[in-house]
Amino acid sequence: MTAQANNTAPLVVHLIYRLDFGGLETLLVERINRMPAAHYRHAVVCLTGYTAFADKITKPGVQLFALHKQPGLSLGTHAALFALLRRLRPTILHTYNLSALEYAPAALLAGVPVRINGLHGRDAGDPQGRNRKHNLLRRLMLPFYDCCYANSADMLAWNRTVIGVAENKSRLLSNGIDADKFTPQGSVVRHFEAETIVIGTVGRIQDVKDHATLLRAFVLLHARLPQVRLAIVGGGPLLAALQAQAGQAGVAHLVWLPGARTDVAAILRGFDMFALSSIAEGTPGSALEAMASSLPVVGTRVGGVPEVLADGVTGLLVPPSDAPAMAAALERYVLDAAMRLEHGAAGRARVERHYNMAAMVAAYESLYDALCEHKKQFRKSAKSCVE
């Protein structure tokens, strides 16, 4: 591949609220790193800013920008994005979730031919997608997008029935993970002593993940089974509040809260089971990583979680925000090592069959190809009509 070939490949600008440790962000970086450089170039524009997580972008030539958006409408951010897009001249603007949705008109005015929005989950303040103001914005933005995809069947159906996304403008793009990286074999990080049973989770500590309910469930469970321990791995705005909650409950010495980590695969191998307490989810990448690591998963029955987690086969489903129900499900695994092994092995097999990384990257590239070709044909037809 020559440098010239790489320089002439179509440019995709990814517009995201903030580039930091998180599931959506991890998969975005994986797609950028893995998509053939001769096919597409990439740039990442952060509405607010980015952290050291950006160092995970290993592909040469990927530009990174921060617009430093202020709270509220921030019309200056629209103007700044317009100017940046005019300079970069991308072929595709790919926006993520509601926080970046409103910037498609600026892209249209800047002459970006293809505009895509991805629905990867909903905010904690509106887990069911019932906020009228937000849904009105989603509907108003539809004409400015060529495709509004979703990463779970649940989200896809909601997009079509509630927002009114036309079938020819929507599709399902499931998440994928590197099953070779997240395996039961390899180095292990285990914070607690060997004779304990470790319940673990990995994810950004924010409202939508509802770690507070998981911690309450752990307190209930530990009262019955003192050998259990809890690990909550991830940084985020609620980390300090969660540490305070553990201290107030008298279990701080039984709960590991290390913040954001880069050795997640090794940490997962030190867990005995995985817990997902979210009140809203698309396709949960953290659960897929746990399953690839042969861990059984207790997850909430929200969003795309039931699509990923086969209840009674690879894990157990419980209602959201229900600490007693989560404690009861976790207890089943604590008391039954054979079931842990059986469900963990089934989870690994399910990931290998349905959620591999190569298929995910190929699906996104196929979407880009199809939309670029459609726009090219449309322009040819329009030119012919004028002539």
Side-chain angles (χ1 to χ4, degrees), residues 282-312:
T283 300
S286 62
L288 290 175
E289 291 173 356
M291 290 162 63
S293 304
S294 293
L295 293 175
V297 179
V298 174
T300 46
R301 196 183 294 274
V302 298
V305 177
E307 300 165 36
V308 169
L309 190 61
D311 192 22

Side-chain angles (χ1 to χ4, degrees), residues 9-26:
L11 174 64
V12 182
V13 167
H14 302 270
L15 184 64
I16 191 169
Y17 184 75
R18 178 178 173 83
L19 188 59
D20 199 354
F21 290 85
L24 184 160
E25 296 81 2
T26 296

